[in-house]
Every structure is written in C-alpha cells, then in structure tokens.
Amino acid sequence: MTAAAEPQRLAALDVGTNSTRLLVAEVLDGQITRDLAREMVITRLGRGVDRTRWIDPAALGRTLEVLAGYAATCDRLGAARRRLVATSATRDAVNRDEFLDGARRAVGVEPEVLTGESEAAAAYLGATAGLPGDRRTLVVDIGGGSTELILGGRRPEGMVSLDVGCVRLTERHLRDDPPTAGQVAALRADVDAHLERAAEALDPSTAERVIGVAGTVTTVTAIALGLDAYDPRRIHLAAVDAGTIAATAEKLAVMTVAERAALPVMAPGREDVIAAGALLLDRLVRRFGFPQVIASEADILDGVLLQLAHRPG
C-alpha cells in the first residue's frame, strides 16, 4: 500500500511598499490546506521612495525588525522552506541592496525582487487557485507602489503593472488633511492616464468577473459591508457593486486621517493611504464599466507560497 502524501509546511514573506506580510501554511497537491499563521504589519518601506528613490533608514529598520520576528515564527512552526519577495518600493530604490542584505540576514534566504510581471503572475495564482469554475477573470492587485491588472482563464493570458498605488498616489497628490477637491481631481487624472496605457495592453472589459486583492480592496469591502471589526471570513468573496465603491471612495476622500483611523475595520497605518487606494479602485471600475468587484483574502502571498511548493525541495 502506498503511503499517503504528507503536506509541505512552507512560508511566504512579502515586503511591499506599505506592508510586510507572512503566510505559513501546509500545502498538499498544489493546494493550501491549512493556514498556520497569516500576519501583516504596515511598515511603509516605500515612504518617500516615489520622490527620492531612496529607502528611509527608519522604514528600513522597522521592516527588518518585522522580518526577524517573522523568521522566528517560521522556526517555531517548522517552516524550513521559506520564500521572501519584495515588490515596487524595492524595485525603485537606489539603495535596495541595503535592504536586501538585511533581509537576507534576518530571514536566512535569498530575497527575490519581483518584476511587475512576476508580481502579477503570483497575484493571479493566489487569487484564483480556490475559485470555482473557469470564467474569464480579471485580478486587480492595488498595492502601495504599483497596481497589477491580470486577465486570464485557468492561467493568466495578459497582464500590466502600473506605477500607481495607494502610497505613491497619496505622496504625489493628497497633501492636505482632508485632501482638497483639486488634489483629488489631480489624483483621478493621474490614475486615468495610467489606465489609458493599460487599455493599450489588454482589454479588461472582456472579464466575466473581477477579483480584487490586497488591503485597499478588502478594507473598502469591509467599510461597504458596515462591519464592526475586520473579519476576513465575511470579506472573502464578498461582492461590492460599482455604486457602493464610488460612494465609499467619496466618503473616505472627505474624511480626515483621524476620522479614517477611527473606523473599526481600519488597520493601523493604513488610514493615511486608504483614500487614494479607494479613489484608484473607483476610477478603474468606472473606466472599464465593471458592475462589481469581488474581494479576495487570497492574494500574491498565497501565490508566492504555491509557487514555492512547485519548486524542487
């Protein structure tokens, strides 16, 4: 009798422009069967990188401290195989090697700086791995420094990475608290110009469903649902219609940072950039005429881990 296959215990660490995240999970036959740890800390590695192309020392220290804690969690949970990826802020920073050297020491593996295309592929895999059916799907991944649009069926067929994200847009345009109408208009024009370029690369309007991943989409969904606390189980695969997305973006844009921070679903550190992310999501929905967006708690982090599972051990 053949012995039953044992699940792999793996870890994925994702250092984005805004947040640093960890997933430790068991994987069997190409599927995540059990989460052992799923953590997120907003470390804002990309603060100021859009303007200076330089990682701030304080942001670097925060991020490396969190990574060291995540490495200890990996050790405690027995995740010997681990993968560490970094995205937009690290791609853009002149002093990225300073971060990469520190991350290597903290986690004990070689960090990978993902291209926009690699980031998009991992996000698509993570978002669609557990979805039913074979419908044509657009995955929208709004990050801190970039936004990925990935179109496909069982696998991605076309993708584009745009240099607009919630941190980048906030630093470019939303300088007052609350933002002025002129600042909001400038942000929208910036996003619209990037979406025009996206439309030259692929046709998102052909999608039968739109899956939104990462903190902007899930937070907008939590606000739209009127949740008393952030609840991933209620947010995952919840659909929010275009009108509600527009109303939520308008609401966030006229609030102060303190008022946003007081919302019960707001993760500490997201309150100053959520308005920009919501406005970006609204412009995307309007530009391509999407009736709704389905939020997913499975995202690039899940995709990075599943890709690791397929690599030789």
Side-chain angles (χ1 to χ4, degrees), residues 103-129:
R104 186 182 301 110
R105 289 191 297 270
V107 181
V109 297
E110 189 66 30
E112 302 173 46
V113 182
L114 299 183
T115 65
E117 291 73 21
S118 297
E119 185 177 353
Y124 193 88
L125 174 61
T128 60

Side-chain angles (χ1 to χ4, degrees), residues 10 12 22-25 34-39 73 76-77 301:
L10 307 175
L22 168 71
L23 171 61
V24 181
R34 183 163 69 113
D35 284 7
L36 302 174
R38 192 180 286 263
E39 302 179 20
T73 300
R76 176 173 56 82
L77 295 175
L301 196 59

Side-chain angles (χ1 to χ4, degrees), residues 278-290:
L279 289 165
L280 191 165
L281 178 63
D282 176 46
R283 297 313 292 176
L284 189 148
V285 166
R286 291 174 186 264
R287 170 65 179 79
F288 298 112
F290 300 139

Side-chain angles (χ1 to χ4, degrees), residues 184 188 245-255 278-279 282 286:
V184 171
R188 286 173 169 150
I245 290 171
T248 303
E250 292 286 349
K251 171 184 174 180
L252 290 167
V254 299
M255 297 173 76
L279 289 165
D282 176 46
R286 291 174 186 264

Side-chain angles (χ1 to χ4, degrees), residues 249-310:
E250 292 286 349
K251 171 184 174 180
L252 290 167
V254 299
M255 297 173 76
T256 65
V257 171
E259 288 169 338
R260 295 181 212 131
L263 295 172
V265 299
M266 193 65 60
R270 195 178 300 283
E271 62 273 5
D272 59 334
V273 298
I274 186 61
L279 289 165
L280 191 165
L281 178 63
D282 176 46
R283 297 313 292 176
L284 189 148
V285 166
R286 291 174 186 264
R287 170 65 179 79
F288 298 112
F290 300 139
Q292 66 177 20
V293 174
I294 301 168
S296 174
E297 288 283 345
D299 56 23
I300 183 175
L301 196 59
D302 302 71
V304 165
L305 189 136
L306 289 171
Q307 289 172 339
L308 175 62
H310 286 96

Side-chain angles (χ1 to χ4, degrees), residues 42 53 73 95 103 152 174 180 203 217 262 287 301 311:
I42 293 180
R53 292 297 189 264
T73 300
N95 63 333
L174 306 186
T180 66
D203 185 4
V217 173
R287 170 65 179 79
L301 196 59
R311 292 180 177 179

